[in-house]
Amino acid sequence: MENSEKYPLIDFNVPPIVGTEGKYIQEAIDSHQISGDGSFTKKCNKWMEDRFNAQKIMLTTSGTTALDMAALLCDIKPGDEVILSSFTFSSTATAFVLVGAKLVFVDIRPDTMNIDENLIEDAITPKTKAIAVTHYAGVSCEMDKIMQIARKHGLKVVEDAAQGVMSSYKGKALGTIGDFGCYSFHETKNYSMGEGGAIVIQHQTDNEKAEILREKGTNRSKFYRGQVDKYTWVDFGDSYLPSELNAAYLWAQLEVADNIYNDRMNAWNQYYNAFEKYGKNGKGIVELPVIPKECVHNAHMFYLKFADLQKRTAFIDFMKSRNIKPTFHYIPLHSAPAGYKYGRFHGADIYTTKESERLVRLPLYYHIGEENIQRVIKTALEYLEK
């Protein structure tokens, strides 16, 4: 094993920064409003609504709380069931645990790592109230079929589009297809506000309830629009408004969203082109991401899949010996302690565990730089050639 200290570090992720974040944060401070729903929050909301052709979008304190809001707005009661993939982050599940739902996990597709739309209908029972889909790596699930199933059975659809900002399915922005969509602006995402997220509301009839829920159970939003002469507590709610300081940080990045997108896509494409000859149609040593023709992705991540866990581990160890830090991803939720407690797996786990043990993510972030991209490629190819 070579001494990694003689190589400069290439970390798995570096939070994005475009240079104007400090200026806008200072503007927020100078405005004397640093709590939520100030001018920067409104700018971010409107930018996303216009760009994604969304009915209504509201910033939240995290992608997790956006999911919490979605679960509450679905009016799910204790004992109801929600169908979802086990290959996702815990937040997708905990949102529905919060409202007392039973989690019903189904297997994934091995090509996109997304929920297998062909297994959903068999998992539906009289207790099923919603389907929660995760768009892994910013690549859409098969939403036409999922929405068709949902409408047939009268189910709500929640899109966990935490990784899907600027991705689309058949021309529709991810997060805007289901009843509710949820974005994340965590420091590991393409666009960041440190901690933060947003909820997308598909139906106008849900707007007021969402505002009340987000505003601690009050009708404060209507008051500020001049629709009521005073605001009061009207229903259950919580505090889901991010600070204006966070929103100011995000606004700086939304202003140059296409630049960030193009920079990441350049890195993604270079990875794909470099490793393609080692994929299924070449040497068959690794598998590369699959992007269905109806999907436009956002270069959120680039991954390789090795033959098995042992080969993946050996690759990670080799890269780390050269001070490059790739990482594996989710441990399937159904195999976790909380998964046993709150859910069950419907059908056979043919791909979820197997595929999760093969996948490794390469370093990919805004301004990773040509030198680092080439070093990751050169080092990985050195391993693959062995």
Side-chain angles (χ1 to χ4, degrees), residues 271-288 304-306 377-378 380-386:
Y271 282 157
Y272 192 94
N273 293 335
F275 300 122
E276 188 173 16
K277 67 179 180 180
Y278 296 89
K280 274 186 174 181
N281 297 324
K283 298 183 179 182
I285 297 171
V286 293
E287 291 179 26
L288 278 62
L304 297 171
K305 289 200 285 187
F306 285 83
I377 290 172
K378 181 181 177 182
L381 291 180
E382 182 182 343
Y383 177 85
L384 295 176
E385 283 294 342
K386 290 181 179 180

Side-chain angles (χ1 to χ4, degrees), residues 22-169:
K23 170 192 168 188
Y24 290 145
I25 289 170
Q26 187 61 53
E27 284 184 20
I29 293 169
D30 293 342
S31 75
H32 298 159
Q33 182 185 356
I34 60 172
S35 61
D37 270 350
S39 62
F40 284 106
T41 298
K42 290 180 171 64
K43 285 180 181 180
C44 291
N45 292 344
K46 186 175 189 308
W47 187 95
M48 288 187 284
E49 287 171 357
D50 292 344
R51 183 64 182 257
F52 305 147
N53 193 28
Q55 190 273 134
K56 189 173 185 65
I57 296 182
M58 297 184 286
L59 285 186
T60 60
T61 49
S62 66
T64 302
T65 53
L67 285 159
D68 290 350
M69 282 187 67
L72 288 160
L73 290 166
C74 284
D75 199 29
I76 294 169
K77 300 290 192 295
D80 290 343
E81 294 181 351
V82 175
I83 297 170
L84 69 162
S85 161
S86 173
F87 188 69
T88 185
F89 191 56
S90 59
S91 297
T92 319
T94 57
F96 297 100
V97 171
L98 174 72
V99 293
K102 180 79 171 179
L103 308 174
V104 180
F105 301 110
V106 299
D107 209 4
I108 61 169
R109 293 170 42 158
D111 56 351
T112 61
M113 306 296 288
N114 286 331
I115 191 169
D116 189 334
E117 66 279 4
N118 296 311
L119 302 177
I120 292 172
E121 196 157 23
D122 189 60
I124 294 172
T125 74
K127 294 182 178 180
T128 307
K129 293 296 184 291
I131 305 167
V133 299
T134 299
H135 302 301
Y136 186 70
V139 177
S140 179
C141 299
E142 180 44 67
M143 291 305 295
D144 277 356
K145 181 158 188 177
I146 290 168
M147 295 305 297
Q148 181 183 26
I149 292 168
R151 297 302 172 245
K152 176 181 175 182
H153 295 275
L155 307 177
K156 297 288 188 181
V157 174
V158 175
E159 292 180 76
D160 181 348
Q163 300 174 0
V165 178
M166 297 282 280
S167 293
S168 62
Y169 171 83

Side-chain angles (χ1 to χ4, degrees), residues 17 48 73 109 151 202 235 260 312-313 329 337 375:
I17 184 165
M48 288 187 284
L73 290 166
R109 293 170 42 158
R151 297 302 172 245
Q202 175 72 264
D235 205 341
I260 294 174
R312 181 186 75 176
T313 301
H329 217 175
R375 196 175 125 217

Side-chain angles (χ1 to χ4, degrees), residues 166-367:
M166 297 282 280
S167 293
S168 62
Y169 171 83
K170 296 186 176 181
K172 294 181 179 179
L174 299 194
T176 69
I177 304 167
D179 297 283
F180 303 100
C182 303
Y183 298 142
S184 172
F185 300 112
H186 184 263
E187 69 167 34
T188 57
K189 300 302 188 291
N190 295 25
Y191 309 93
S192 175
M193 51 197 287
E195 291 281 0
I199 184 166
V200 186
I201 312 293
Q202 175 72 264
H203 309 291
Q204 193 172 359
T205 50
D206 291 317
N207 286 356
E208 184 174 352
K209 186 176 180 182
E211 287 180 343
I212 291 168
L213 176 61
R214 182 170 170 267
E215 280 276 16
K216 309 169 190 70
T218 72
N219 57 354
R220 182 171 174 262
S221 293
K222 291 180 75 173
F223 170 73
Y224 279 120
R225 289 195 296 267
Q227 294 173 286
V228 292
D229 59 1
K230 58 184 177 181
Y231 72 88
T232 186
W233 181 28
V234 293
D235 205 341
F236 169 78
D238 211 323
S239 182
Y240 296 120
L241 282 69
S243 157
E244 273 298 284
L245 306 181
N246 296 71
Y249 193 102
L250 177 63
W251 176 244
Q253 297 183 17
L254 294 183
E255 278 193 315
V256 293
D258 290 317
N259 293 345
I260 294 174
Y261 176 94
N262 291 333
D263 182 86
R264 295 183 68 106
M265 193 60 71
N266 172 62
W268 194 98
N269 286 333
Q270 289 197 60
Y271 282 157
Y272 192 94
N273 293 335
F275 300 122
E276 188 173 16
K277 67 179 180 180
Y278 296 89
K280 274 186 174 181
N281 297 324
K283 298 183 179 182
I285 297 171
V286 293
E287 291 179 26
L288 278 62
V290 173
I291 314 296
K293 66 180 185 300
E294 62 269 20
C295 300
V296 174
H297 72 106
N298 60 356
H300 175 64
M301 74 171 80
F302 186 90
Y303 61 80
L304 297 171
K305 289 200 285 187
F306 285 83
D308 53 41
L309 176 60
Q310 290 72 29
K311 288 184 173 60
R312 181 186 75 176
T313 301
F315 173 77
I316 291 174
D317 289 344
F318 179 81
M319 298 295 280
K320 285 183 175 178
S321 76
R322 304 298 182 86
N323 222 9
I324 298 170
K325 294 191 173 180
T327 186
F328 55 84
H329 217 175
Y330 311 124
I331 305 297
L333 296 183
H334 74 279
S335 62
Y340 286 110
K341 182 177 181 181
Y342 296 115
R344 59 182 171 83
F345 199 99
H346 180 84
D349 172 10
I350 298 173
Y351 294 114
T352 302
T353 299
K354 174 188 168 188
E355 298 299 312
S356 70
E357 290 179 346
R358 302 170 56 211
L359 186 146
V360 59
R361 298 175 61 180
L362 298 185
L364 178 56
Y365 49 86
Y366 177 57
H367 277 171

